[in-house]
């Protein structure tokens, strides 16, 4: 949009007065942020309205992305960038004595996501709007999100993340578009004498789902898509008999917290209730909108609507869509089923069996009695149809309802026309191993869509220093097409370009060092290798392997104080699920090891360890641009894709990693010599599983380096882990090291030595960094979302 600095300043000062009855001199930073946000919202509102009218009038097909979490990060700079007014607003505020960067810090991160799953969804919404693809998000407006992580005496402590204390300036409450969602009670089917069955209900719990719409502004275009988040409320006409404190508390809890603790029955019940809540509300809204706009029979809905199931949390889209078609529109079962399969598509995000959702039959039957009936009928009809075609073995292994449980991944695959993995290796493993029986039955449904990232946030917003270097070196076309970064390869031997890339990285390291000093009280050397592992804390992601290597370096330096080493700063950021005791023990160990090393004056600047508490999008925007190395060290075959690996690559960090997830494609893109590969491959991992011949105790007994490191967890070397140390030690020895940490240790150490050797040659290192940046184009979520649009949803870009 076109905007002069003069006009912005007038709009901003007027908004301060009308909104807060104050002026620039007296306004506090929170008021200033709110006024700026309000002005920016006004700027894009006309574009939003026009685009909504265009979509309705053109009646083009739209897609709806159902995800239990999103992780958008702060929206102010994103909206400024996408509207093309970042510099104008920055300069206008500066004229008034206001620093945009300081004001932007006042905005809380939207706490409606956890990790990669939620961030991927937000990258997709960003890319869809920026490529003109009509994709809308559908989720829950959590009041408190996951949790705010505090580290107290080395332990993770979970506090409420009350991100809505000052409201959300970007959202619009649509109370006129609220829908009821119903739970529990009794349901029975009545026959009308003609063979038609009608469900009848009694004593159901009613909850009002109120939508809050947040616009997703496209990058320098006229597309504004929508992210709809649902809040649970008490219906105004609720019978007074039900208006008690327990009911009101239960209703509020539905949209209170992301991933309630599912270690007990009540927690699991609440999570299942959340899943149906946002699925039912979202489907009701999109179907009502379809009816109002398209004026064609509901049987044509697949020509206008695509619904995407992001992981298994929204799997209830399948039976809920069937319920609406069959019960509310009277469509015959087979026709309704064909429509449902055409509308639905599904992304699988894991091969970990414990992460594939399963719900007890009794729980579903009690909470969602009609949905339970529909699931049983889907399973019964499919079984009857397939038995004569594929045999009992295949049918039983792929049933939705078996062993007293409802298998949500099975429901998602059976009820949709497309199932995709999120990296080539992951998709191959789904077809060949984890979902092989489904692949034998539905080969045409399986495909791959390698993940991507929204490069605007992860470069243009978070790394302005590098972005400027790129602009001045290869022009600005890369900002619209990340493949244009390939032009940078021509400068890999240009001394001036390499020096400027080094300077940009150093500036980002200085920024992070200052942040660490302020928030952690630790002084780090910006000349050191900044070696970063930031992701959810889980045993398969193997933060523990990183820890063992750090201890090796520490012991080496203690044994040989004069050892010639490149200084290292190891940076961790990770949250552990509240009920995941082992992961929380690893966090405690990391923090105690950090205290041990950082307080050792003999070590000095040679080795530092930093744990960044409450890792989120905003912290990632500071950490990732400063990283020299990105740790992607999960056990091969366990990580579906990863996206932090792509963010590190975009920002010129070199990857040390296994042949897992998207690492394989990243290695291929970066080129030989520009990454550090180590460890077992997926075939070797599966051989161990097949033969059962892995013995971690033997490695412990026979490898003196490993022996010494592991003993540190139980002999008092590492202080204050009297409970956690033995737990970790036993997991690696007595319980045979489930994720082969010890098996990969030696090769990991070898790769780390190669890394250190290359870093000593700063020119060679910077060339490798340049090659990573130049070849990251494939990993733009713009590319990924276009593939979804073309191959799965069959929707088209706005021209």
């Amino acid at each position: 949009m076109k905007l002069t600095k003069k006009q912005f300043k007038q709009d901003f000062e007027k908004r301060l007065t009308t909104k807060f009855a104050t002026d620039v001199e007296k306004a506090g930073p929170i008021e200033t942020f709110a006024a700026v946000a309000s002005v920016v919202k006004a700027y894009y509102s006309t574009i939003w309205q026009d685009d909504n009218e265009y979509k309705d009038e053109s009646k083009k097909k739209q897609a709806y992305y159902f995800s239990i979490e999103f992780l958008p990060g702060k929206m102010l700079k994103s909206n400024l960038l996408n509207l093309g007014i970042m510099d104008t607003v920055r300069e206008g505020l500066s004229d008034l004595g206001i620093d945009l960067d300081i004001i932007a810090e006042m905005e809380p991160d939207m706490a409606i996501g956890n990790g990669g799953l939620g961030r991927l969804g937000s990258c997709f919404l960003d890319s869809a709007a920026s490529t003109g693809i009509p994709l809308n998000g559908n989720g829950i407006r959590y009041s408190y999100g996951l949790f705010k992580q505090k580290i107290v005496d080395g332990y993770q402590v979970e506090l409420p993340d009350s991100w809505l204390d000052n409201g959300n300036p970007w959202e619009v409450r649509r109370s006129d578009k609220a829908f009821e969602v119903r739970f529990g009670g009794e349901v029975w089917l009545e026959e009308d004498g003609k063979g038609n069955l009608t469900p009848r209900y009694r004593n159901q719990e009613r909850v009002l789902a109120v939508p809050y719409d947040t616009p997703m502004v496209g990058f320098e275009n006229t597309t504004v898509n929508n992210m709809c988040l649902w809040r649970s409320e008490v219906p105004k006409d609720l019978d007074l008999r039900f208006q008690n404190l327990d009911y009101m508390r239960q209703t509020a809890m539905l949209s209170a917290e992301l991933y309630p603790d599912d270690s007990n029955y009540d927690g699991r019940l609440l999570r299942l209730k959340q899943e149906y809540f946002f699925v039912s509300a979202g489907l009701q809204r999109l179907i009502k909108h379809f009816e109002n706009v398209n004026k064609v029979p509901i049987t044509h809905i697949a020509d206008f609507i695509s619904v995407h199931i992001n992981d298994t949390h929204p799997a209830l889209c399948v039976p809920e869509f069937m319920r609406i078609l069959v019960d509310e529109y009277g469509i015959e079962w087979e026709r309704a089923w064909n429509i449902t399969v055409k509308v639905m598509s599904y992304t699988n995000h894991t091969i970990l069996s414990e992460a594939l959702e399963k719900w007890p039959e009794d729980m579903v039957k009690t909470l969602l009695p009609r949905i339970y009936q529909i699931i049983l009928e889907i399973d019964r009809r499919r079984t009857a149809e397939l038995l004569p075609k594929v045999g009992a073995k295949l049918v039983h292994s792929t049933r939705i309802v078996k062993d007293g449980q409802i298998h949500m991944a099975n429901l998602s695959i059976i009820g949709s026309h497309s199932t995709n993995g999120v990296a080539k290796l992951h998709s191959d493993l789904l077809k060949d191993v984890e979902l092989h029986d489904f692949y034998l039955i539905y080969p045409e449904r399986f495909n791959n869509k390698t993940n991507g990232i929204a490069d605007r946030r992860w470069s243009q917003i978070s790394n302005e220093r590098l972005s400027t270097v790129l602009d001045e070196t290869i022009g600005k076309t890369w900002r619209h097409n990340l493949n244009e970064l390939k032009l940078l390869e021509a400068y890999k031997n240009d001394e001036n370009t390499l020096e400027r890339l080094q300077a940009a990285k150093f500036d980002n390291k200085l920024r992070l060092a200052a942040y660490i000093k302020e928030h952690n009280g630790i002084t780090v050397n910006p000349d050191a290798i900044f070696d970063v592992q930031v992701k959810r804390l889980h045993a398969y992601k193997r933060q523990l392997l990183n820890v063992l290597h750090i201890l090796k370096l520490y012991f080496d330096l203690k044994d040989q104080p004069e050892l010639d080493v490149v200084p290292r700063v190891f940076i961790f950021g990770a949250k552990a699920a509240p009920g995941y005791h082992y992961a929380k023990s690893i966090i405690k160990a990391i923090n105690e090891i950090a205290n041990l090393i950082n307080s050792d004056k003999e070590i000095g600047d040679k080795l530092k360890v930093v744990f960044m508490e409450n890792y989120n999008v905003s912290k990632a925007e500071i950490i990732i641009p400063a990283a020299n190395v990105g740790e992607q060290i999960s056990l091969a075959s366990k990580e579906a894709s990863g996206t932090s690996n792509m963010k590190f690559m975009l920002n010129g960090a070199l990857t040390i990693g296994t042949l897992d997830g998207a690492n394989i494609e990243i290695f291929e893109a970066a080129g030989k010599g520009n990454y550090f590969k180590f460890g077992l491959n997926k075939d070797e991992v599966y051989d161990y599983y097949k033969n059962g011949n892995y013995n971690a105790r033997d490695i412990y007994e026979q490898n003196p380096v490993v022996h010494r490191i592991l003993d540190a967890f139980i002999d008092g070397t590492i202080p204050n882990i009297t409970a956690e140390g033995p737990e970790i030690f036993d997991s690696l020895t007595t319980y045979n090291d489930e994720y082969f940490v010890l098996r990969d240790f030696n090769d990991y150490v070898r790769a780390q030595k190669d890394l250190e050797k290359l870093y000593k040659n700063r020119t060679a290192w910077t060339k490798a960094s340049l090659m990573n940046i130049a070849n990251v184009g494939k990993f733009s979520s713009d590319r990924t979302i276009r593939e979804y649009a073309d191959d799965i949803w069959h929707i088209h870009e706005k021209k």
Side-chain angles (χ1 to χ4, degrees):
M1 64 172 288
K2 293 182 179 180
L3 178 70
T4 65
K5 187 168 63 171
K6 179 181 178 181
Q7 183 64 54
F8 167 72
K9 288 194 290 185
Q10 289 176 350
D11 294 340
F12 167 66
E13 291 185 281
K14 182 177 180 181
R15 194 60 53 90
L16 267 180
T17 300
T18 58
K19 193 173 179 68
F20 296 108
T22 190
D23 58 25
V24 173
E25 296 296 325
K26 298 173 185 174
I30 293 177
E31 292 173 329
T32 303
F33 161 72
V36 172
S38 181
V39 170
V40 173
K41 184 177 182 180
Y43 290 157
Y44 66 59
S45 291
T46 302
I47 307 172
W48 192 13
Q49 180 183 13
D50 290 346
D51 193 44
N52 284 335
E53 291 176 358
Y54 162 79
K55 288 168 181 170
D56 289 350
E57 290 169 3
S58 66
K59 295 179 171 57
K60 290 184 177 180
K61 188 176 185 181
Q62 297 190 51
Y64 294 82
Y65 195 85
F66 280 63
S67 181
I68 202 165
E69 59 171 290
F70 292 96
L71 203 58
K74 299 181 180 184
M75 301 292 291
L76 175 59
K77 285 190 176 180
S78 178
N79 287 331
L80 291 175
L81 178 78
N82 290 350
L83 288 170
I85 59 174
M86 177 85 85
D87 291 340
T88 302
V89 170
R90 188 189 297 276
E91 292 168 9
L93 290 173
S94 181
D95 287 352
L96 298 171
I98 300 168
D99 187 326
L100 173 62
D101 294 333
I102 293 175
I103 294 305
E105 283 298 308
M106 297 299 104
E107 179 179 3
D109 276 50
M110 296 177 69
I112 53 174
N114 175 22
L117 185 75
R119 185 54 227 168
L120 179 73
S122 294
C123 282
F124 281 178
L125 295 184
D126 179 291
S127 282
S130 296
T131 53
I133 291 171
L135 175 70
N136 307 287
N138 191 82
I140 297 178
R141 183 182 181 267
Y142 302 104
S143 299
Y144 297 103
L146 184 65
F147 59 84
K148 181 180 289 185
Q149 181 194 55
K150 294 292 290 182
I151 301 300
V152 179
D153 295 331
Y155 291 103
Q156 170 179 294
V157 176
E158 299 97 26
L159 301 175
D161 191 355
S162 51
W163 68 283
L164 285 167
D165 282 352
N166 293 308
N168 177 3
W170 313 112
E171 67 186 10
V172 177
R173 177 183 166 94
R174 309 278 194 190
S175 53
D176 59 326
K177 292 180 172 61
F179 291 88
E180 275 198 8
V181 180
R182 302 191 175 203
F183 302 96
E186 304 167 52
V187 62
W188 66 96
L189 301 177
E190 285 187 357
E191 188 174 350
D192 62 3
K194 300 178 182 179
N196 300 315
L197 298 174
T198 301
R200 302 297 182 193
Y201 300 90
R202 183 167 54 208
N203 298 328
Q204 286 193 290
E205 176 189 345
R206 298 165 55 208
V207 173
L208 190 68
V210 180
Y212 287 70
D213 290 346
T214 300
M216 298 290 111
V217 180
F219 180 56
E220 298 183 352
N221 65 16
T222 58
T223 296
V224 181
N225 290 330
N226 187 46
M227 178 175 67
C228 170
L229 302 175
W230 296 94
R231 181 174 187 258
S232 56
E233 298 183 8
V234 175
K236 288 184 170 54
D237 63 342
L238 188 69
D239 192 305
L240 290 175
R241 291 176 299 166
F242 298 104
Q243 291 192 32
N244 55 67
L245 288 176
D246 185 60
Y247 168 76
M248 298 179 77
R249 182 182 64 83
Q250 289 294 331
T251 299
M253 284 298 294
L254 263 177
S255 58
E257 180 184 357
L258 171 66
Y259 297 144
D261 185 0
D262 62 353
S263 60
N264 57 58
Y265 183 89
D266 288 344
R268 297 204 74 206
L269 185 67
L270 176 57
R271 186 179 295 193
L272 178 60
K273 202 172 182 180
Q274 285 181 325
E275 292 182 2
Y276 183 68
F277 169 74
F278 89 96
V279 159
S280 179
L283 290 179
Q284 289 185 71
R285 184 182 184 186
L286 71 87
I287 288 173
K288 179 60 68 175
H289 183 261
F290 159 80
E291 276 193 308
N292 291 339
V293 169
N294 292 289
K295 310 300 183 183
V296 297
I298 191 72
T299 51
H300 293 271
I301 193 170
D303 296 328
F304 297 89
I305 297 294
S306 185
V307 171
H308 198 79
I309 299 168
N310 186 39
D311 214 357
T312 53
H313 311 106
L316 292 172
C317 279
V318 174
E320 174 66 3
F321 202 71
M322 283 293 291
R323 183 194 68 78
I324 294 171
L325 294 182
V326 173
D327 292 356
E328 298 186 11
Y329 289 88
I331 298 174
E332 181 268 331
W333 182 279
E334 285 300 328
R335 192 175 190 186
W337 180 248
N338 289 333
I339 294 168
T340 299
V341 171
K342 288 179 182 177
V343 167
M344 300 293 159
S345 51
Y346 163 57
T347 294
N348 175 285
H349 284 278
T350 184
I351 60 173
L352 297 177
S353 59
E354 67 268 25
L356 293 173
E357 277 190 306
K358 307 174 190 69
W359 294 104
E361 276 193 74
D362 289 345
M363 182 183 288
V364 178
K365 183 178 180 180
T366 302
L367 182 68
L368 308 169
R370 181 59 179 146
I371 293 300
Y372 176 69
Q373 291 175 347
I374 291 171
I375 291 172
L376 288 183
E377 185 65 9
I378 294 170
D379 195 48
R380 185 192 69 78
R381 287 176 179 248
R382 175 181 177 271
T383 299
E385 177 189 353
L386 285 182
L387 267 175
K389 297 178 181 178
V390 302
K393 183 179 179 182
L394 271 184
V395 169
H396 179 73
S397 68
T398 57
R399 288 192 65 168
I400 300 168
V401 185
K402 59 180 179 179
D403 305 322
Q405 293 185 309
I406 295 175
H407 296 248
M408 305 304 269
N410 298 10
L411 176 62
S412 302
I413 296 165
I414 291 166
S416 63
H417 68 275
S418 172
T419 293
N420 70 278
V422 291
K424 185 179 183 302
L425 174 65
H426 175 231
S427 296
D428 288 345
L429 285 170
L430 292 181
K431 291 187 296 184
D432 298 341
V433 182
E434 303 300 330
L435 300 177
H436 181 62
D437 287 353
F438 283 104
Y439 180 64
L440 291 175
I441 300 171
Y442 311 111
E444 74 285 354
R445 297 187 182 184
F446 283 77
N447 61 93
N448 175 60
K449 298 289 175 281
T450 297
N451 282 343
I453 58 171
D455 46 274
R456 287 162 292 277
R457 177 172 293 276
W458 297 107
S459 181
Q460 296 184 48
I461 293 173
S462 65
N463 199 342
E464 293 184 38
R465 185 73 172 83
L466 174 61
S467 298
T468 299
V469 174
L470 295 175
D471 288 347
E472 295 174 353
T473 305
I474 61 172
K476 295 185 177 182
T477 56
W478 69 274
R479 290 178 177 259
H480 287 272
N481 179 1
L482 206 62
N483 289 316
E484 292 292 300
L485 286 177
K486 192 75 173 174
L487 296 170
L488 194 62
E489 276 197 39
Y491 296 86
K492 66 181 179 181
N493 294 314
D494 181 76
E495 186 175 327
N496 180 57
T497 299
L498 296 178
E499 287 177 355
R500 297 187 71 201
L501 289 174
Q502 288 174 2
K505 178 64 72 175
F506 191 75
D507 282 354
N508 287 322
K509 292 172 76 173
L510 286 174
R511 178 177 65 160
L512 177 56
Y515 185 93
I516 291 170
K517 178 63 176 177
E518 179 182 355
H519 293 274
N520 295 73
I522 301 169
T523 301
V524 299
N525 177 6
D527 288 317
I529 300 172
F530 278 22
D531 188 318
V532 180
Q533 188 173 15
V534 285
K535 53 185 75 246
R536 179 168 52 95
L537 203 304
H538 195 290
Y540 87 81
K541 295 179 183 288
R542 301 202 297 187
Q543 284 92 346
L544 198 52
L545 179 58
N546 193 349
V547 168
L548 299 189
H549 173 249
I550 291 169
L551 285 171
K552 179 189 181 300
L553 293 181
Y554 177 65
F555 293 146
D556 288 346
L557 286 169
K558 294 297 286 182
D559 293 342
Q560 304 173 66
E562 303 306 317
L563 195 64
D564 181 25
V565 297
V566 177
R568 303 287 287 264
V569 178
F570 290 94
I571 299 167
F572 294 89
K575 290 182 179 180
Y580 192 177
H581 184 272
Y582 183 66
K584 295 170 86 167
S585 293
I586 293 174
I587 287 176
K588 169 66 169 172
I590 291 171
N591 281 292
E592 293 302 341
I593 290 167
N595 290 336
L596 172 69
I597 293 173
N598 297 339
S599 62
D600 192 327
K601 294 181 180 179
E602 292 182 1
I603 301 300
D605 282 345
K606 294 179 180 178
L607 186 61
K608 295 288 184 184
V609 181
V610 179
F611 188 95
M612 308 280 283
E613 72 177 10
N614 201 42
Y615 179 67
N616 57 20
V617 174
S618 295
K619 285 187 173 63
E621 290 174 356
I622 298 172
I623 295 169
I624 292 173
N628 298 117
V629 177
E631 297 269 352
Q632 312 297 332
I633 59 177
S634 54
L635 177 65
S637 80
K638 292 295 180 284
E639 186 74 80
S641 169
T643 52
S644 70
N645 44 12
M646 302 168 188
K647 295 161 195 162
F648 282 114
M649 185 183 188
L650 174 63
N651 284 276
L654 274 58
T655 297
I656 181 168
T658 53
L659 289 170
D660 196 24
N663 290 353
I664 297 171
E665 293 161 82
I666 285 174
F667 293 160
E668 291 172 354
K672 189 175 181 181
N674 301 319
Y675 57 85
F676 307 96
K677 178 181 68 177
F678 75 94
L680 298 167
N681 61 40
K682 59 103 174 171
D683 292 330
E684 291 168 325
V685 170
Y686 277 97
D687 280 344
Y688 273 128
Y689 291 156
K690 180 180 178 181
N691 299 321
N693 57 350
Y694 179 62
N695 192 320
R697 172 67 69 167
D698 283 351
I699 297 175
Y700 168 69
E701 297 293 353
Q702 296 168 16
N703 186 324
V705 175
V706 169
H707 197 105
R708 181 183 183 186
I709 292 169
L710 294 194
D711 281 355
F713 287 89
I714 57 175
D715 66 8
T717 300
I718 305 169
N720 304 318
I721 57 168
T722 53
E724 297 78 17
E727 180 184 8
I728 292 169
F729 178 88
D730 287 343
S731 74
L732 296 175
T733 55
T734 305
Y735 301 111
N736 207 35
D737 184 16
E738 181 179 4
Y739 296 108
F740 303 151
V741 172
L742 303 188
R743 171 61 178 79
D744 274 351
F745 177 76
N746 280 347
D747 203 27
Y748 181 58
V749 170
R750 186 270 312 158
Q752 287 281 2
K753 288 179 179 177
D754 291 344
L755 183 160
E756 185 174 317
K757 181 179 179 182
L758 183 64
Y759 192 80
K760 289 179 178 178
N761 185 335
R762 292 301 178 91
T763 298
W765 181 276
T766 309
K767 284 184 181 180
S769 174
L770 178 150
M771 291 298 291
N772 274 269
I773 299 168
N775 290 286
V776 76
K778 173 183 178 180
F779 304 106
S780 168
S781 51
D782 291 3
R783 183 270 311 159
T784 311
I785 212 68
R786 284 189 172 108
E787 290 180 2
Y788 275 94
D790 292 343
D791 301 342
I792 298 176
W793 305 326
H794 307 297
I795 59 177
H796 305 289
E797 298 177 23
K798 184 178 181 181
K799 301 300 182 184

